[in-house]
Amino acid sequence: MDKQTAATVAPEKKAKPSRAIIRPRRMDFDFSADIPRFWFDNNVFKTLLMTAQSCTFPEGERFFIDSVRHYQSQITDPELQAQVRGFIGQEAHHGKEHTTLNDFMAARGFATEAVQSHVRTSLQLLRKRMSAERQLAMTCALEHFTAMLAELALEHPDFFKGMDDRV
Ligand SMILES: [Fe+2]
């Protein structure tokens, strides 16, 4: 980078990063009985891939919450404290909505509990073996992947083509 370019970008870099306030949204999804068995494009693979992914979330969200909660008492910045409370509330809602979908699929005979149980066992092992710092780092990384996936999905709405709107 030449001197002139560095001078141009420097003020931006010094700006305080924006701190979004996280407002948990209560969705209370309710999946009705007339939703097709294979609700993603009438495709077994797509439907079960999304279901399997959903199965990783309830326990995953709990892991995220705990990894942040572990540091909660050390936070003195009121803005960051508020963000942590918002994050915990939001993740709790996410977990609940995924559980609703997973239970809906389980009632239709899909082995969602097998996947959830595998995730639970794996995360219990990680909780035992990894430091709190590393668990928090893992949460940050996974949330980053989540944001990338969300961006990809929002930028390419055709990805959801054929998915039942209610799902
Ligand atoms: Fe989440």
Side-chain angles (χ1 to χ4, degrees):
M1 190 184 293
D2 61 46
K3 267 185 183 171
Q4 200 173 357
T5 314
T8 313
V9 295
E12 264 183 337
K13 281 194 170 173
K14 281 179 189 165
K16 195 180 169 189
S18 74
R19 292 183 146 195
I21 294 301
I22 303 168
R23 290 188 186 85
R25 291 189 302 160
R26 182 186 289 274
M27 304 306 287
D28 290 329
F29 292 132
D30 181 22
F31 299 105
S32 64
D34 63 336
I35 288 174
R37 185 166 176 81
F38 299 111
W39 39 258
F40 196 170
D41 208 17
N42 199 31
N43 181 300
V44 179
F45 175 75
K46 286 179 174 180
T47 304
L48 296 186
L49 178 69
M50 294 300 274
T51 301
Q53 195 189 11
S54 177
C55 288
T56 68
F57 276 78
E59 207 54 49
E61 307 280 17
R62 266 189 284 278
F63 180 89
F64 291 179
I65 289 172
D66 291 343
S67 72
V68 169
R69 205 173 251 161
H70 188 265
Y71 287 96
Q72 206 172 1
S73 64
Q74 297 175 40
I75 299 168
T76 52
D77 177 353
E79 201 180 343
L80 189 55
Q81 278 174 344
Q83 283 185 314
V84 163
R85 281 193 301 274
F87 176 80
I88 289 172
Q90 173 187 258
E91 297 309 289
H93 281 301
H94 290 173
K96 177 184 163 292
E97 303 310 339
H98 281 285
T99 298
T100 304
L101 178 68
N102 302 345
D103 290 349
F104 171 74
M105 293 303 280
R108 293 182 156 196
F110 297 103
T112 57
E113 180 44 35
V115 183
Q116 293 183 103
S117 159
H118 173 76
V119 174
R120 201 174 299 125
T121 309
S122 307
L123 288 178
Q124 270 165 4
L125 198 69
L126 291 182
R127 283 171 194 267
K128 268 190 212 157
R129 296 210 175 147
M130 291 189 344
S131 68
E133 192 176 30
R134 199 156 175 166
Q135 290 180 45
L136 183 63
M138 188 174 139
T139 296
C140 294
L142 286 169
E143 286 291 15
H144 185 67
F145 289 137
T146 304
M148 286 167 69
L149 273 173
E151 193 176 353
L152 192 74
L154 292 170
E155 281 179 354
H156 302 276
D158 52 319
F159 173 83
F160 297 106
K161 209 171 147 221
M163 186 189 281
D164 189 283
D165 286 344
R166 293 163 293 181
V167 181

